[in-house]
Amino acid sequence: MSPLPSNRTPSERDRDAVLHPYTNLVRHQEIGPLVISRGEGVRVFDDSGKDYIEGLAGLWCTSLGWGEERLVTAAAEQMRRLPFYHLFGHKSHDPAIDLCERLLALAPVPMSRVFLTGSGSEANDTALKLLRYRAHALGQPEKRKVIARDRAYHGVTLATAALTGLAVNHRSFDLPDPAVLRAACPHYYRNGLPGESEAEFSTRLAAELEAMILAEGPETVAAFFAEPVMGAGGVIVPPADYFPKIQAVLEKYDVLLVADEVICGFGRTGKMFGTETFGLRPDIITVAKGLSSGYLPISAVMLSERMVAPIVAEAGRIGTLGHGYTYGGHPVSAAVAVETLKIYAERDILSHINRVAPGLQEGLRSFANHPLVGEVRGLGLIGAIELVADKATKVGFDPARGIGAAVVARAQQHGLILRAMGDAIAFAPPLIITEEEIGEMLSRFARALADVTAEVIKA
Ligand SMILES: Cc1ncc(COP(=O)(O)O)c(C=O)c1O
């Protein structure tokens, strides 16, 4: 074995050791990583000490920002008391019980049990499996198809990547699975037909959904997965009457709604859950990310009594519920999640979000007249600016030009970390962000956009 760290830089060592997710691995060998070494509030610092405002709260998750000492203490105390235990075979522990009780009390619709998992993908994978389990329990094993939408993001396990409706998550992975049916993305700006109103657009999508369910046979369709606001697909906020019309169809054919609240949960849209913001009636809600403010991996599947009763009966018949992860409901993660939920309540995070959100939303909309900006969208503390080559016709840039990526790269130079989904630039800062910090974030963005605009004009 070669000797450990020498005088090589972290960037050189990274390139010889780390295989990065969601990264162009060829280009990475040329440019290396941005090595982040610490964080404080809404900022992170690289290994040279340069500061960046984290405009996406890491991966939409670090809601309380960096350096929240109460979470550090909760983890340390739990680590000393009981660093590991599990929930298999009739075992339990206080942090898991406490967390599940708190989630049931917070749930936006009546929920009766919580299954703890480790990531957003595991939570949605579990939801998929429990839907099948329930179908067997009810003597309807053929009711196992699920519907997910174009541009959805539900995870990257083999099953959840099949739900995800993005080409990069399918290409060269032999996906998607034929048991996943694909519904349209409710992006009116892009998918509305010429002359179609938002209301007509929603009516059309609901009619297409109904036609799909009827063509497949309602007795074969178990559930419809939906993020209240689609995140990784480009921050898509549906028209106001989209979900009411979709839910009417689902309920007509006994197709359950799974609300993927992995991004929207815990305040992001201005209410505790996107389910409340959009009046959803899900039988399953999955949460992760903001559940622990991203400090430790943990996620959860909240289940209505319609799900729980048959699952319990089926496990009784089989002799066990044959599903569970070693780290599902890990006590240290659960203790940190409990502390996170206490902080949200004590600091009244929702009031703070609703105080500062207009600053973000109006600030983003102040770019609407910019010649490269096609659409500005968002609510609460989530939003996106979509760049286009031609404002009037909505024609986008040639993807090969990488305009979105160029803005993100420029923003990084100006001390702002953002993410581009194609040419849509997403914003989802830590929920603790102040009005002044929002102003600073947007002025750093303005400089990046000005740089790229100058380059586009020159080209
Ligand atoms: C809506 C949504 N669901 C599921 C996931 C998957 O979560 P994880 O990356 O923790 O597996 C994500 C991740 O970004 C997400 O945004």
Side-chain angles (χ1 to χ4, degrees), residues 265-450:
F266 311 107
R268 183 57 67 189
T269 64
K271 296 226 160 88
M272 198 42 109
F273 292 93
T275 289
E276 294 160 88
T277 302
F278 295 99
L280 306 187
R281 296 180 294 277
D283 278 282
I284 302 180
I285 296 178
T286 54
V287 291
K289 299 194 188 272
L291 176 58
S292 63
S293 188
Y295 276 43
L296 282 177
I298 186 160
S299 62
V301 187
M302 296 192 244
L303 300 151
S304 74
E305 189 54 25
R306 281 217 290 176
M307 287 295 299
V308 171
I311 289 169
V312 169
E314 188 70 359
R317 265 191 295 277
I318 294 174
T320 187
L321 172 61
H323 179 72
Y325 303 97
T326 298
Y327 302 119
H330 190 285
V332 182
S333 302
V336 168
V338 166
E339 194 66 9
T340 302
L341 298 184
K342 281 188 192 165
I343 294 173
Y344 291 153
E346 283 168 29
R347 297 195 192 148
D348 192 3
I349 192 79
L350 284 182
S351 296
H352 170 78
I353 293 165
N354 287 302
R355 230 178 355 260
V356 300
L360 176 66
Q361 296 304 329
E362 287 160 24
L364 291 176
R365 280 166 182 80
S366 71
F367 292 94
N369 291 328
H370 186 282
L372 299 191
V373 172
E375 189 192 33
V376 181
R377 47 189 185 254
L379 80 173
L381 283 179
I382 185 167
I385 291 183
E386 181 160 333
L387 304 175
V388 290
D390 186 329
K391 239 175 142 75
T393 60
K394 304 183 188 174
V395 170
F397 287 99
D398 176 357
R401 289 182 71 180
I403 295 292
V407 172
V408 167
R410 286 294 191 166
Q412 190 167 304
Q413 288 170 0
H414 292 297
L416 171 61
I417 297 182
L418 292 173
R419 248 175 89 194
M421 285 94 197
D423 290 337
I425 317 293
F427 295 78
L431 302 178
I432 55 157
I433 196 166
T434 63
E435 273 161 338
E436 298 79 70
E437 288 164 340
I438 287 173
E440 198 176 338
M441 174 173 80
L442 293 176
S443 73
R444 291 182 187 193
F445 170 73
R447 272 175 260 157
L449 184 60

Side-chain angles (χ1 to χ4, degrees), residues 59-60 119-122 124 153-155 227 232 260 262-263 288-289:
L59 291 174
W60 332 76
S119 67
S121 298
E122 281 182 11
N124 285 323
Y153 194 87
H154 298 298
E227 301 152 81
D260 179 341
V262 167
I263 285 180
K289 299 194 188 272

Side-chain angles (χ1 to χ4, degrees), residues 108 237 328:
V237 183

